Amino acid sequence: MPLPDRWIVLKFGGTSVSRRERWDTIGRLARERAEDGAARVLVVVSALSGVTNELQAIADGGAIGDRVDALIERHRAFSVELGLEPGSVLGERTTVLRALANDARAATRALDWQAEVLAQGELLSSTLGAAYLRAQGLDFGWCDAREWLDAIALPNQNAWSTRLSVSCRHESDAAWRARFARQPARMLLTQGFIARHGDGGTAILGRGGSDTSAAYFGALLGAQRVEIWTDVPGMFSANPRIVPEARLLARLDYAEAQEIATTGARVLHPRSIAPCRDGNVPMAILDTARPDLAGTRIDASATTVPGVKAISRRNGIVLVSMESIGMWQQVGFLADIFERFKRHGLSVDLIGSSETNVTVSLDPSENLVTGNVLEALAADLAEVCRVKVIAPCAAITLVGRGMRSLLHRLSDIWAAFGRERVHLISQSSNDLNLTFVIDEADADGLLPQLHAELVHSGAMPMHDASVFGPSWHEITHGRAQRGPAWWRGRREALLQAAARGTPRYVYDLATLRARARALAAIDTIDRRFYALKANPHPTILRALEAEGFGFECVSSGELAHLFATLPGLEPERVLFTPSFAPRREYEEAFARGATVTVDNIEALQRWPDVFEGRGLWLRLDLGRGEGHHAKVRTGGSQAKFGLPLPRLDAFVAQARALDARIAGLHAHLGSGVELPSHWREVYAELAAHADRIGTVATIDIGGGLPVPYLPDAAPLDLEAWARGLAEVKALYPQYALAVEPGRFLVAECGVLLLHVTQVVEKDGMRRVGCDAGMNALLRPALYDAFHAIANLSRPGGDTAQGDGVLAFDVVGPVCESGDVLGRQRLLPAATSEGDVLLVADAGAYGMAMANTYNLRALPAEDVIE
Ligand code: LLP
């Protein structure tokens, strides 16, 4: 049987070749590809973990004899573990290693000798591995990578880099390929990291060498794909250790992968991408411990949705700021300064300039930026400009295709950086990256926040499942179970409701009660108030009263509606938390017996008689806002809510002067907060302030609990949330704890039903029009909010999967360009006039914010049991 002429290249790093069972995995994966995939397989391996460092120490000239002995011993022991006879397998290799230790060139640490020393790790590991795989009965051959990879000389290389950090020829070459294919075994094993120098000696590929070797082989072989097997599941939208919500990037193009590899992820060496791109060879990053995960695929396929794919942080960045001393704009100024960077072997990363200043960044991963080097550089630069070195800085980079078209979605990101001291901003002209350089200390804690903002603004198009895979949290803990939405089982009832007229909200009381009971089961919380601004439907108010909830109101109108709906409601169960309300509303709230929350001193000063002798709650601004969109963040100096902390003492004094007692302390910093630690932090801060005030009995940590609007979003981990609160409660048992959620209780119980009016194609864009849009549900227009949309009239129309689906923008009938309920949503291709669309998770701030703009009627409302 002739061997197939299709190759798959697999690369395994140090940890994947250092244990016997890992070699079993390598053998299994190779065999599967050879047999099931009907391909030939080339496996490229690194040295055993830690071996290259040891060889580097030998190449540096330290304790050569002892180190060589230890290395030989380590490999002998491993061959025993592999069930091999060390003498016969390793004999030749150990002879070479000992000869190198005694080589005359060792004394001068000649570069060619260093290269040969460094090459031994891969030669040893591949020799052991090939022997082991053959002993398992696999048809494996071994080849010396130096016979196949030729180093090329590049301009600007010094003696060191032409030997120890080489690039290799990788243009596909039929003769080369035919020669390679003549090797008899179906599967071959070779070394990463090493190549042939032009003089016939050994050359080293340098950092990331094994990935790059695999890529060279892939390109030379015109391989079907190059698989990089690592110990992580692939590339992520952010470092998953810092951002557990970060999502696996299922598919990237070469340029995006290159940017992500360069600016953050250490998963794949950036150098390895160009050869595969040049040869149009797809790459896959896969996890040896989780071989069934699809990992990250990198290829030339056009990505459909422009968007930010990843956000990363690099530390240790050094900024060199150069102020002109009258030479700016003079021909040769930049040449003068950059020549000095070259002189000190420093490669410049980012550049920013103004009329009088040029600032550049140095990335420590590309440079040896020691104090000495910087001092010498600064001294040289001082001849032509005034120099300031700013370090340590962090570079925070957003990567994704089409960055320019996304700028309008990045307003929250700019706002977040607006609170930091940004030294440099750089946008690449290839439209792939946007980088902010700030002080390293300021970058702490920023990434999770920025990642959440990218998701919420839609700049990171998470709903595109072809790009965004599961989150790190889901991969390690299993996918969080958000049971199927209630409406999937109620299609007939919903179609009947729609037949009575749309737009129409339908609320499911069972879902409402389930959320209410989940909160009521948390015994750390003493008092629960429903923020009825989210949805004041009378049936919902009655149901929540029956579940033991109190209510939080913001206006006299809400108070009147509440007491009209629930005439017997005890006033102690009612909070009044107004914002800039007129005096009359405070008076009315006191007259009704509600608990009134005040958030400024001016009210006490102007209306002393309203507050005299009263018990009050005080709303504090803890100096920051949180939430799904800038417009719902209610803390920090930009927000109109809350008493700023520096005025707390003055407020306490003013209240005392009026004989008013501060009985509660409140903060609500925003809505749809994704950080589970938020509430325990607010709780702890408020409790500490309460201790100082002395009269406080209740701490109210507000609402703001998130719901999973995005298809794969995980629901709030309520147990973890409650555990955090319980920890704070243990420290401050003297205070009653109150919460006042709105969205969490009602969002998922409500859907909006619409009829399709028209389906129109314009300039390649398909739009489904509905009989209501931003007039019925304002959230997408106002906050770019995401609501899932399904077609209830078509089979499969609620799954957005399978054949026969197309991407549509779902729009309303209002005369505003912002009247879009969802962009590029997958709906049945057959969607047409008269179909019923369902907009999910619309129970909170849906009907409550509906309006009659364009004189369109308000939606109808139904409640179902
Ligand atoms: N407490 C206070 C003082 C509030 O201002 C709010 C909401 C809540 C509680 C309830 O927050 P929730 O648990 O629902 O997040 N229209 C926006 C939300 C505005 C929230 C206003 N205040 C939206 O549709 O996302």
Side-chain angles (χ1 to χ4, degrees):
M1 271 265 287
L3 291 169
D5 188 29
R6 292 147 34 93
W7 289 89
I8 297 177
V9 179
L10 279 65
K11 177 259 167 176
F12 294 89
T15 50
S16 304
V17 297
S18 299
R19 294 215 311 271
R20 179 177 179 148
E21 69 270 18
R22 294 294 186 107
W23 277 103
D24 292 329
T25 307
I26 295 175
R28 182 172 50 77
L29 291 169
R31 201 189 53 229
E32 282 168 10
R33 277 146 188 77
E35 287 170 8
D36 307 343
R40 291 189 74 182
V41 172
L42 173 66
V43 173
V44 179
V45 293
S46 300
L48 306 192
S49 323
V51 166
T52 302
N53 286 345
E54 278 301 295
L55 291 168
Q56 187 65 59
I58 293 172
D60 291 342
I64 295 183
D66 293 349
R67 286 203 155 96
V68 165
D69 287 346
L71 273 179
I72 291 175
E73 194 36 51
R74 162 124 191 245
H75 287 88
R76 289 177 67 90
F78 189 48
S79 57
V80 172
E81 185 188 330
L82 293 176
L84 303 169
E85 205 287 299
S88 60
V89 180
L90 288 173
E92 193 188 328
R93 297 268 150 248
T94 50
T95 313
V96 172
L97 201 50
R98 289 206 195 285
L100 280 168
N102 299 319
D103 194 305
R105 293 171 297 169
T108 57
R109 300 180 44 244
L111 291 172
D112 59 345
W113 171 81
Q114 289 193 36
E116 266 180 65
V117 169
L118 290 171
Q120 298 308 312
E122 275 70 13
L123 290 164
L124 281 158
S125 65
S126 62
T127 302
L128 282 175
Y132 177 73
L133 294 172
R134 277 199 288 260
Q136 311 309 304
L138 295 173
D139 179 19
F140 252 101
W142 180 92
C143 58
D144 186 331
R146 293 171 295 185
E147 303 297 321
W148 302 101
L149 294 185
D150 294 323
I152 41 173
L154 295 173
N156 267 335
Q157 274 189 314
N158 55 26
W160 177 85
S161 58
T162 47
R163 177 66 66 177
L164 295 173
S165 184
V166 302
S167 300
C168 294
R169 201 180 56 75
H170 58 271
E171 297 77 37
S172 77
D173 167 346
W176 185 99
R177 186 171 166 175
R179 200 158 51 85
F180 193 84
R182 275 200 291 279
Q183 299 178 84
R186 176 157 193 168
M187 296 178 281
L188 294 166
L189 188 65
T190 194
Q191 310 77 39
F193 196 51
I194 65 176
R196 175 76 66 216
H197 191 272
D199 66 5
T202 301
I204 296 293
L205 270 59
R207 275 169 293 112
S210 295
D211 290 350
T212 314
S213 297
Y216 287 143
F217 276 111
L220 284 160
L221 288 168
Q224 208 173 321
R225 69 181 175 274
V226 169
E227 298 180 357
I228 307 286
W229 287 86
T230 63
D231 48 9
V232 291
M235 284 181 165
F236 279 82
S237 58
N239 180 346
R241 275 187 291 276
I242 302 173
V243 185
E245 295 77 30
R247 299 274 290 269
L248 180 66
L249 294 167
R251 191 154 207 175
L252 294 168
D253 66 29
Y254 294 108
E256 286 175 325
Q258 175 88 48
E259 290 286 336
I260 295 171
T262 310
T263 58
R266 293 272 165 254
V267 183
L268 178 67
H269 197 274
R271 275 193 185 187
S272 65
I273 295 168
C276 285
R277 183 200 57 210
D278 296 347
N280 200 11
V281 176
M283 304 178 84
I285 305 171
L286 298 158
D287 186 348
T288 327
R290 303 173 183 89
D292 298 332
L293 269 184
T296 299
R297 188 183 160 93
I298 303 165
D299 59 28
S301 72
T303 42
T304 43
V305 189
V308 178
K309 305 291 163 52
I311 177 161
S312 64
R313 165 179 176 176
R314 279 173 292 159
N315 279 342
I317 302 287
V318 174
L319 284 183
V320 183
S321 163
M322 292 157 287
E323 207 67 41
S324 90
I325 40 179
M327 299 167 97
W328 180 237
Q329 285 202 338
Q330 197 169 304
V331 171
F333 176 69
L334 287 178
D336 283 347
I337 61 173
F338 286 128
E339 186 279 325
R340 285 166 170 80
F341 282 89
K342 180 177 178 186
R343 208 185 291 165
H344 293 279
L346 294 169
S347 106
V348 164
D349 185 19
L350 307 168
I351 305 175
S353 75
S354 76
E355 189 66 24
T356 57
N357 176 286
V358 185
T359 302
V360 304
S361 77
L362 304 172
D363 182 338
S365 62
E366 299 295 326
N367 290 295
L368 198 68
V369 268
T370 62
N372 290 346
V373 172
L374 284 177
E375 243 171 65
L377 170 76
D380 278 3
L381 285 170
E383 294 162 8
V384 283
C385 57
R386 262 195 304 278
V387 194
K388 192 163 102 199
V389 174
I390 308 169
C393 291
I396 296 189
T397 301
L398 278 55
V399 178
R401 196 160 279 293
M403 195 66 69
R404 280 194 287 269
S405 67
L406 289 169
L407 288 177
H408 68 291
R409 289 189 183 270
L410 299 179
S411 53
D412 288 345
I413 300 288
W414 289 93
F417 281 109
R419 294 188 284 273
E420 312 298 341
R421 210 156 74 92
V422 177
H423 297 297
L424 182 70
I425 298 176
S426 133
Q427 196 224 317
S428 65
S429 67
N430 63 5
D431 205 14
L432 274 170
N433 108 22
L434 180 63
T435 298
F436 298 81
V437 180
I438 58 178
D439 286 336
E440 222 178 72
D442 293 339
D444 293 343
L446 212 52
L447 238 50
Q449 187 197 336
L450 295 174
H451 190 271
E453 269 155 13
L454 287 169
V455 174
H456 280 302
S457 65
M460 206 177 241
M462 288 292 185
H463 52 278
D464 186 348
S466 66
V467 174
F468 292 93
S471 72
W472 172 253
H473 187 86
E474 284 165 2
I475 291 167
T476 49
H477 291 76
R479 190 167 279 257
Q481 288 304 319
R482 179 201 181 182
W486 64 267
W487 48 264
R488 292 193 191 280
R490 305 299 296 272
R491 186 164 158 265
E492 281 312 317
L494 289 168
L495 286 173
Q496 280 167 20
R500 292 196 297 276
T502 55
R504 176 177 297 268
Y505 279 98
V506 181
Y507 308 120
D508 175 52
L509 278 190
T511 302
L512 173 77
R513 290 200 186 100
R515 297 293 176 277
R517 285 172 194 174
L519 269 188
I522 299 172
D523 52 15
T524 310
I525 301 172
D526 303 292
R527 307 184 68 187
R528 296 162 193 83
F529 299 91
Y530 167 54
L532 65 96
K533 60 180 83 79
N535 188 331
H537 192 285
T539 312
I540 288 180
L541 299 186
R542 280 193 284 271
L544 287 173
E545 186 208 22
E547 297 297 327
F549 276 71
F551 298 89
E552 188 258 329
C553 301
V554 286
S555 68
S556 281
E558 284 192 356
L559 283 170
H561 171 73
L562 177 66
F563 284 108
T565 308
L566 304 169
L569 184 70
E570 304 88 334
E572 305 81 70
R573 286 171 72 177
V574 180
L575 296 181
F576 183 58
T577 319
S579 169
F580 288 89
R583 169 186 170 124
R584 179 182 48 79
E585 297 201 13
Y586 290 87
E587 290 170 340
E588 278 175 27
F590 278 124
R592 286 185 185 274
T595 300
V596 174
T597 300
V598 181
D599 73 349
N600 62 79
I601 301 189
E602 288 81 350
L604 300 190
Q605 288 166 340
R606 268 195 86 73
W607 309 321
D609 51 318
V610 176
F611 298 101
E612 195 161 11
R614 301 274 189 189
L616 308 171
W617 284 18
L618 167 62
R619 177 173 186 167
L620 286 178
D621 173 2
L622 297 178
R624 60 185 188 280
E626 306 281 1
H628 69 80
H629 189 272
K631 292 193 175 108
V632 300
R633 285 178 207 140
T634 49
S637 56
Q638 299 306 308
K640 64 174 180 158
F641 305 91
L643 180 83
L645 291 174
R647 302 193 73 182
L648 178 55
D649 289 343
F651 187 97
V652 173
Q654 184 74 30
R656 207 167 278 145
L658 294 178
D659 194 25
R661 194 170 41 86
I662 303 171
L665 215 46
H666 170 271
H668 169 85
L669 302 189
S671 198
V673 181
E674 291 284 349
L675 300 172
S677 57
H678 165 78
W679 291 269
R680 56 165 301 164
E681 286 163 12
V682 167
Y683 185 10
E685 283 173 64
L686 289 179
H689 293 301
D691 274 0
R692 282 178 43 218
I693 297 172
T695 53
V696 173
T698 305
I699 305 277
D700 179 350
I701 55 174
L705 282 66
V707 299
Y709 288 107
L710 290 162
D712 291 332
L716 175 69
D717 182 345
L718 212 52
E719 270 175 36
W721 183 77
R723 269 198 308 278
L725 298 182
E727 281 166 29
V728 183
K729 180 80 165 235
L731 300 175
Y732 298 98
Q734 65 273 38
Y735 302 119
L737 172 62
V739 294
E740 44 184 44
R743 180 192 319 272
F744 179 81
L745 292 164
V746 291
E748 290 158 287
C749 86
V751 296
L752 172 63
L753 301 178
L754 304 168
H755 273 104
V756 173
T757 53
Q758 307 183 23
V759 179
V760 174
E761 197 248 60
K762 182 180 128 183
D763 296 337
M765 165 82 91
R766 294 186 183 81
R767 291 188 177 82
V768 172
C770 303
D771 54 3
M774 63 189 286
N775 54 320
L777 180 65
L778 190 56
R779 303 190 73 252
L782 196 55
Y783 317 118
D784 286 322
F786 182 96
H787 288 263
I789 299 176
N791 184 339
L792 288 187
S793 304
R794 306 273 162 185
D798 60 350
T799 54
Q801 278 169 10
D803 299 334
V805 296
L806 288 175
F808 296 92
D809 273 13
V810 179
V811 302
V814 173
C815 289
E816 297 265 348
S817 292
D819 186 22
V820 179
L821 290 171
R823 293 188 193 274
Q824 294 302 290
R825 297 309 179 79
L826 298 179
L827 290 171
T831 298
S832 60
E833 181 185 355
D835 284 2
V836 175
L837 294 196
L838 174 146
V839 184
D841 305 320
Y845 308 106
M847 185 63 185
M849 294 168 80
N851 56 76
T852 57
Y853 185 36
N854 286 187
L855 295 188
R856 293 206 172 268
L858 286 176
E861 289 179 290
D862 284 340
V863 180
I864 56 177
E865 275 290 345

